[in-house]
Amino acid sequence: MEIHGLVDLLADAGSVVAFTGAGISTESGIPDFRGPQGLWTKIDPSEFTIENYVNNPEHRRRVWRMRMERASERYEPNAGHLALADLERVGKLGCVITQNIDGLHQAAGNTAVLELHGTTHRVKCLGCDARMPNDAVFARIRAGDDDPRCEDCGGLLKSATVSFGEMLPTDVVEEAFMRAESADTVLVVGSSLVVYPAAGIPLAATRMGARIAIVNAEPTPMDDLASVVLRGAAGEILPAAIEGLRARLSPAFYGEGVVQVDDDGLEDRNGRRP
Ligand code: NAD
């Protein structure tokens, strides 16, 4: 695995923004959508539109049933999430902009996380936009209410995630563009980079002069724009890169001249292999 390019990029960076997709969570056991084992190989995405949710009570009941079947599932952050939390800890990472809805960046310890597609850990009212904890709504469903409504306004309740055809939260999207466009480096992890408007965020950053690194299992349409492309598992690549970065940032590196940065090599004080 050739991670030295990524270590160099991160070491030189003044302000990094991470842009993550479903691929960073597959190693936690959550399937992505478009990978070879993705959810779209098993279910039909065209059903999961906001229009169908609003207009089709039977679809809503099915969606709640699916939620309840998975309500007890618990997922843990993996080595990729933990490496991004480390990147924040060493002062390099300004924020994580994520398409994910699983909350695993926060669980790993990242404090600045912008969730473009909402969160599966809350329920929202489509009428008055109130947010509420899952448990309160799940208890009502268990008690027999199979199509729950908002207790304040009577509006339809739905997972606080963004479905196909639904508006992304404007304030979050604006902040994400602003943060990405003012960063000098964008680290893309586990995204097919085909879902817009989210994929427009790293693209906008490159137009403002940011350098981009892509860590993904498969090719993406933006690989040609990237300074560094690493193809493989985020849970292996990111920890190796952070280890290399820590070595580069440590006083011992500058004092001793040579340190081990990963299993396959050494770097000198200028970050080059001897
Ligand atoms: P995507 O499913 O379109 O693409 C995921 C990409 O990650 C693929 O290109 C795949 O090759 C790559 N990948 C898979 N495992 C990887 C690994 N271990 N290391 C590196 N790369 C890996 O995902 P997307 O671009 O995020 O878009 C899909 C949409 O689905 C998002 O909008 C998101 O809201 C939603 N989604 C979220 C979750 C989640 O919260 N965990 C899961 C599935 C889908």
Side-chain angles (χ1 to χ4, degrees):
M1 184 204 318
E2 185 55 74
I3 59 145
H4 295 85
L6 181 56
V7 175
D8 287 345
L9 196 75
L10 294 173
D12 290 347
S15 52
V16 183
V17 159
F19 178 88
T20 66
I24 196 170
S25 294
T26 55
E27 290 164 84
S28 293
I30 305 173
D32 60 13
F33 280 174
R34 292 174 185 76
Q37 307 298 322
L39 277 180
W40 293 159
T41 63
K42 301 179 179 76
I43 58 174
D44 178 1
S46 65
E47 268 184 64
F48 290 83
T49 61
I50 189 67
E51 197 188 355
N52 197 22
Y53 192 87
V54 168
N55 295 321
N56 184 346
E58 199 37 57
H59 174 66
R60 287 197 296 278
R61 290 191 187 97
R62 179 177 167 227
V63 169
W64 285 120
R65 274 198 305 277
M66 287 164 66
R67 286 296 306 279
M68 297 310 290
E69 280 163 20
R70 305 185 63 180
S72 61
E73 291 178 3
R74 295 285 175 269
Y75 298 99
E76 300 293 330
N78 63 55
H81 297 105
L82 296 173
L84 289 186
D86 271 348
L87 197 59
E88 182 181 317
R89 236 170 263 127
V90 300
K92 281 283 180 184
L93 186 66
C95 74
V96 179
I97 300 169
T98 189
Q99 299 171 89
N100 294 345
I101 54 176
D102 54 33
L104 290 181
H105 288 301
Q106 295 91 328
N110 281 107
T111 60
V113 181
L114 296 173
E115 294 175 313
L116 297 170
H117 295 161
T119 175
T120 192
H121 294 288
R122 309 275 289 170
V123 171
K124 68 182 174 188
C125 170
L126 294 180
C128 65
D129 205 36
R131 311 275 148 155
M132 54 211 84
N134 284 349
D135 286 349
V137 179
F138 288 179
R140 286 169 55 193
I141 295 172
R142 282 193 196 97
D145 183 356
D146 61 0
D147 186 14
R149 303 289 173 126
C150 177
E151 287 177 327
D152 289 334
C153 77
L156 291 174
L157 295 184
K158 178 187 168 294
S159 157
T161 53
V162 176
S163 299
F164 290 105
E166 199 175 0
M167 284 276 291
L168 273 65
T170 316
D171 51 341
V172 179
V173 173
E174 279 174 5
E175 185 173 353
F177 271 98
M178 192 265 291
R179 301 285 288 256
E181 286 172 348
S182 52
D184 59 32
T185 305
V186 177
L187 172 58
V188 175
V189 185
S191 177
S192 55
L193 292 176
V194 296
V195 180
Y196 281 80
I201 292 170
L203 197 58
T206 61
R207 289 190 182 132
M208 297 300 284
R211 289 185 297 176
I212 182 169
I214 298 179
V215 175
N216 203 56
E218 296 174 295
T220 82
M222 290 185 210
D223 287 359
D224 289 346
L225 294 175
S227 306
V228 176
V229 176
L230 287 176
R231 203 147 298 149
E236 292 169 18
I237 294 169
L238 293 181
I242 301 307
E243 194 187 329
L245 179 68
R246 276 188 182 282
R248 188 80 63 82
L249 297 175
S250 77
F253 180 84
Y254 295 101
E256 308 292 329
V258 177
V259 291
Q260 178 131 16
V261 293
D262 67 8
D263 290 336
D264 66 357
L266 301 172
E267 285 186 357
D268 69 14
R269 71 182 65 203
N270 298 314
R272 297 193 175 83
R273 280 164 174 255

